[in-house]
Amino acid sequence: MHKTISEVLKTAYGQKIYKLSLSAGCTCPNRDGKISTGGCTFCSEGGSGDFAAPFEDIETQIAFARKLVDKKISAKIRPEDRKYIAYFQSYTNTYGNIDRLRELYQKTIERPEMARNLFW
């Protein structure tokens, strides 16, 4: 039997972990001309990131995404007890300057509301 990522995370953390759809501000080699300009069949104009927070600084994106996700969470779960994973969704979020991406991802996963230490 295969488990969903939601089930794996719930088992590992003892609570439901919520996904925050974010953007690293990258583009895609299938759009910028490096490989092609037409994009991929599975991506929308937003790069399959239609549910991602608008590209702004990461703190603003997280606050925006949490506001959307928190509407679905029971009021019985205190905001400080909620845990999330950062899901960088739009375009190809590894297609950019490695130092900038490393800093962005590190800054994001070090936040106290992010579930971490499961896979690394």
Side-chain angles (χ1 to χ4, degrees), residues 5-62:
I5 188 68
S6 182
E7 292 168 330
V8 170
L9 291 171
K10 190 171 186 177
T11 299
Y13 289 98
Q15 70 182 76
K16 180 162 176 57
I17 306 298
Y18 299 89
K19 176 175 71 175
L20 301 179
S21 295
L22 307 169
S23 175
C26 299
T27 183
C28 172
N30 291 312
R31 289 182 179 265
D32 72 0
K34 183 155 184 146
I35 295 174
S36 178
T37 56
C40 298
T41 58
F42 54 83
C43 277
S44 67
E45 282 300 310
S48 79
D50 297 331
F51 301 103
F55 182 67
E56 296 188 41
D57 65 89
I58 197 61
E59 289 82 12
T60 302
Q61 286 189 63
I62 290 171

Side-chain angles (χ1 to χ4, degrees), residues 2-120:
H2 297 285
K3 289 188 174 188
T4 65
I5 188 68
S6 182
E7 292 168 330
V8 170
L9 291 171
K10 190 171 186 177
T11 299
Y13 289 98
Q15 70 182 76
K16 180 162 176 57
I17 306 298
Y18 299 89
K19 176 175 71 175
L20 301 179
S21 295
L22 307 169
S23 175
C26 299
T27 183
C28 172
N30 291 312
R31 289 182 179 265
D32 72 0
K34 183 155 184 146
I35 295 174
S36 178
T37 56
C40 298
T41 58
F42 54 83
C43 277
S44 67
E45 282 300 310
S48 79
D50 297 331
F51 301 103
F55 182 67
E56 296 188 41
D57 65 89
I58 197 61
E59 289 82 12
T60 302
Q61 286 189 63
I62 290 171
F64 177 84
R66 278 189 69 174
K67 195 177 287 188
L68 293 177
V69 169
D70 284 352
K71 292 177 187 177
K72 302 175 187 178
I73 301 174
S74 168
K76 295 177 185 176
I77 302 172
R78 299 179 321 168
E80 60 271 17
D81 292 335
R82 298 171 185 175
K83 291 292 181 191
Y84 308 87
I85 57 169
Y87 178 61
F88 287 90
Q89 184 170 1
S90 303
Y91 300 112
T92 305
N93 279 296
T94 57
Y95 185 63
N97 176 281
I98 187 99
D99 293 326
R100 185 184 80 76
L101 293 173
R102 181 181 294 117
E103 181 179 340
L104 174 68
Y105 298 151
Q106 194 67 41
K107 187 180 200 179
T108 302
I109 64 173
E110 288 177 348
R111 295 177 60 97
E113 70 269 30
M114 295 297 172
R116 55 183 182 269
N117 299 329
L118 177 62
F119 302 110
W120 53 85

